[in-house]
Amino acid sequence: DVKVTQSSRYLVKRTGEKVFLECVQDMDHENMFWYRQDPGLGLRLIYFSYDVKMKEKGDIPEGYSVSREKKERFSLILESASTNQTSMYLCASSLGLGNEQFFGPGTRLTVL
Amino acid sequence: DQQVKQNSPSLSVQEGRISILNCDYTNSMFDYFLWYKKYPAEGPTFLISISSIKDKNEDGRFTVFLNKSAKHLSLHIVPSQPGDSAVYFCAASSSDTGKLIFGQGTTLQVKP
């Protein structure tokens, strides 16, 4: 069974703080993704990575950066959190691009 | 520009009846389509997929239909069960980008 884990289920941060969201997958997948889910907007891709140290911008990368130092780990960084980044953040991994993606449980981030 | 649209935010169905969830897309380059199911406070889980070379794929109670000329796909659940109550997302990808594009989601409620 593919397992994707995220470091926190719930997180509360203050405006201006630097926030790290961690994601780990155990299936040796090449590709990893970060999405945010907001009501009425579905899942929107923030960044993805198709290999270690490689990253590509998704549809809404502004205000975010990512790091992939090891194949199994993909981190999302909010350099200076803002209230409009309050959202559900979902990490996913897949064997090939365009294939079925396996999702983690999500991190509900609230920025006050 | 929303390339994948789920125009019904919600759907309510009686237990035992058929649930039909709809999805429209605009990009003719999409060649792979997926449905995901999401319970509150959990990540989406893969349900069923279909390649553009097919017009139907069936897995137990779940059937996905693809109408390429209309750029429309639908998910049929027969018979519907209360445990099917969740948010359903359709997603599409093209082999040139490999990224999944998600719809806004439809909340299905199956009443006992």
Side-chain angles (χ1 to χ4, degrees):
Chain A
D1 254 6
V2 177
K3 194 158 184 188
V4 180
T5 56
Q6 295 183 230
S7 50
S8 306
R9 295 299 300 271
Y10 300 94
L11 213 50
V12 179
K13 295 291 181 181
R14 297 222 172 263
T15 301
E17 279 193 79
K18 191 168 186 175
V19 182
F20 293 87
L21 302 182
E22 304 282 337
C23 175
V24 177
Q25 51 96 1
D26 66 358
M27 281 303 291
D28 203 35
H29 283 172
E30 303 291 333
N31 308 286
M32 296 187 75
F33 308 82
W34 275 106
Y35 295 87
R36 61 179 282 178
Q37 182 201 352
D38 300 289
L41 297 177
L43 277 68
R44 294 181 292 166
L45 181 65
I46 304 170
Y47 267 96
F48 70 102
S49 167
Y50 52 89
D51 201 352
V52 176
K53 296 192 188 295
M54 306 302 289
K55 61 185 179 185
E56 290 277 345
K57 291 181 180 179
D59 300 316
I60 50 165
E62 297 78 19
Y64 304 94
S65 62
V66 290
S67 171
R68 191 155 180 215
E69 295 297 319
K70 293 185 178 181
K71 191 175 186 179
E72 67 271 18
R73 189 178 297 269
F74 192 35
S75 303
L76 180 70
I77 303 150
L78 288 66
E79 295 290 342
S80 177
S82 63
T83 54
N84 63 11
Q85 292 178 309
T86 291
S87 187
M88 168 70 86
Y89 289 87
L90 293 159
C91 175
S93 72
S94 72
L95 190 57
L97 283 178
N99 289 162
E100 172 193 345
Q101 293 180 15
F102 297 86
F103 283 84
T107 296
R108 171 73 64 186
L109 173 67
T110 302
V111 183
L112 302 175
Chain B
D1 180 33
Q2 190 82 22
Q3 295 186 70
V4 178
K5 292 183 184 178
Q6 294 175 256
N7 291 315
S8 298
S10 62
L11 175 68
S12 183
V13 168
Q14 207 66 36
E15 181 179 7
R17 307 294 290 266
I18 184 171
S19 296
I20 300 177
L21 296 101
N22 294 303
C23 181
D24 297 296
Y25 61 95
T26 57
N27 189 342
S28 57
M29 297 296 291
F30 288 148
D31 54 13
Y32 189 58
F33 304 87
L34 308 89
W35 283 94
Y36 281 84
K37 174 180 178 179
K38 186 182 184 299
Y39 292 118
E42 292 184 16
T45 54
F46 170 74
L47 203 52
I48 193 169
S49 63
I50 187 167
S51 162
S52 60
I53 62 173
K54 293 187 172 184
D55 54 19
K56 177 182 174 181
N57 189 26
E58 195 171 348
D59 183 3
R61 296 186 298 114
F62 302 91
T63 303
V64 56
F65 294 93
L66 176 62
N67 182 335
K68 288 188 290 292
S69 60
K71 294 191 177 70
H72 177 84
L73 67 154
S74 60
L75 174 68
H76 293 211
I77 307 173
V78 182
S80 301
Q81 299 172 354
D84 296 329
S85 298
V87 179
Y88 290 79
F89 292 99
C90 68
S93 73
S94 60
S95 48
D96 59 341
T97 69
K99 295 189 295 185
L100 290 186
I101 308 297
F102 285 84
Q104 307 97 310
T106 296
T107 300
L108 172 66
Q109 183 185 27
V110 180
K111 296 179 181 177

